[in-house]
Amino acid sequence: QVQLVESGGGLVQPGGSLRLSCATSGSIFSINAMGWYRQAPGKQRELVATITSGGSTNYADPVKGRFTISRDNAKNTVYLQMNSLKPEDTAVYYCYTYIIRRRGDRGANYWGQGTQVTVSS
């Protein structure tokens, strides 16, 4: 089995910071891309940031300059450092990992359970 466990969400005031963590475990041959989505109530799920196995990153425009995605390959963990948080960042944040279970297999996305981030004064 493969499991993604998220942590680090919570309630912060505007301008504050949070760091989300997502650890992947299980029977895994390799991991390619990792990243984060978020979904606010009544809104479509939005891709926030991605990072490749080589460390290349991409960010959605609303978070550029404020969020930083990183990964620790030894720990199969992806992080999202969120600074200068705004109320519009309030959402459930979901991590994903593109995993190849066995050598030669086609990979697939696996998802975390989601962690709530609330930005409010």
Side-chain angles (χ1 to χ4, degrees):
Q1 60 181 356
V2 174
Q3 186 176 17
L4 279 66
V5 179
E6 301 181 30
S7 63
L11 173 64
V12 296
Q13 293 186 337
S17 297
L18 285 173
R19 190 180 80 152
L20 306 183
S21 176
C22 176
T24 302
S25 63
S27 180
I28 298 168
F29 175 72
S30 66
I31 295 175
N32 191 357
M34 308 176 80
W36 296 88
Y37 282 82
R38 67 185 182 186
Q39 188 167 26
K43 300 295 180 65
Q44 184 174 314
R45 187 171 61 177
E46 173 190 28
L47 181 63
V48 176
T50 62
I51 183 167
T52 69
S53 61
S56 297
T57 59
N58 283 286
Y59 298 92
D61 286 341
V63 308
K64 286 181 179 177
R66 300 187 298 118
F67 290 12
T68 302
I69 188 171
S70 61
R71 62 191 287 169
D72 184 336
N73 290 331
K75 298 180 179 180
N76 288 336
T77 299
V78 61
Y79 305 93
L80 187 68
Q81 178 66 47
M82 304 184 294
N83 298 325
S84 302
L85 283 162
K86 304 175 180 179
E88 50 263 46
D89 295 318
T90 296
V92 177
Y93 284 70
Y94 299 90
C95 64
Y96 76 88
T97 305
Y98 188 87
I99 296 171
I100 298 173
R101 299 292 303 279
R102 303 177 182 178
R103 186 173 65 178
D105 285 356
R106 179 180 292 273
N109 280 325
Y110 292 79
W111 297 88
Q113 81 282 2
T115 185
Q116 177 70 48
V117 172
T118 302
V119 185
S120 176
S121 59

